[in-house]
Amino acid sequence: ETNSVYTKKGTGQQIYEGLLLYPKATSQIAKTILSPVTHARNFVSAGAFATANGIIPSPTAIKDAYQALQTGLKGTRKQNDFYRKLLKLGVVNSNVRLGDLRGLLEDIDFGATVTSDKALRGLLKPLSKLKQVSQDLYTAEDDFWKIISWAGEKSRLGKAYAAKGITRTADQLDEEAASIVRNNIPNYDYVSDFVKGLRKLPIGNFVSFPAEIARTGTNIIRRGLQEINEEIILPNGQVIKPFQG
């Protein structure tokens, strides 16, 4: 008997994974975290979502976002408490393409089965380190703009409330800004189980991303309409629209 998860699977499942899902997973690794071109595209597309929400980054937000990133780059990992706070709020570590890839690798027990042989582990060890570094960078490229978006949304909310004499606590502003980022920027945690399950099919790559484009695109319009029309009644009975501008 063996403790290998892979050998406990049925013959049909082994054949399906060996012939279809393993090549698909390997291809997706090459197309994403190991591709310099895709890294650049990932950073630019993440910035485009911030722009779509009307975010203009301030120098302070850029500095804080960079220092909070969890990478080996010089100057990062300097605001780990800040990053943990954003992680708790659901703002960071939610890259959609990477979520699909991680899910597929877990489906086929990629790490456990491909490196089960001792000799093969030695050959793949350098590649494993490269994969981890590239994966951290891929996550950071997405996190950078989400942190900037969160800071921008929090600042705008705070100024809008203050201008109308409405009091909000820091925690309330944190959560409201985080809610906007979670709903208006692609987030793997919000992808349905049905869409996530499509990654197991031999056709189609990163199906969660277009699904999230549709969800967040709708939410951006919905949020805009909400801010234009939302009314708040003050204690004195006055009705105001704090976000209309």
Side-chain angles (χ1 to χ4, degrees), residues 89-126:
L89 288 168
V91 172
V92 294
N93 198 25
S94 54
N95 186 284
V96 176
R97 292 192 188 92
L98 195 56
D100 266 343
L101 178 57
R102 284 172 175 163
L104 183 58
L105 295 180
E106 290 174 3
D107 291 339
I108 61 176
D109 305 308
F110 192 86
T113 56
V114 173
T115 62
S116 59
D117 182 80
K118 185 176 180 180
L120 188 57
R121 281 203 304 270
L123 291 172
L124 293 181
K125 191 173 182 180

Side-chain angles (χ1 to χ4, degrees), residues 133-145:
V133 171
S134 298
Q135 183 172 296
D136 289 344
L137 288 175
Y138 202 84
T139 300
E141 291 150 9
D142 190 62
D143 285 349
F144 178 77
W145 286 108

Side-chain angles (χ1 to χ4, degrees), residues 28-35 39 98 101 131 134-135 138:
Q28 289 190 350
I29 290 174
K31 288 179 179 180
T32 53
I33 60 177
L34 297 184
S35 170
H39 276 279
L98 195 56
L101 178 57
K131 174 177 169 289
S134 298
Q135 183 172 296
Y138 202 84

Side-chain angles (χ1 to χ4, degrees), residues 30 177 223:
R223 178 73 194 186

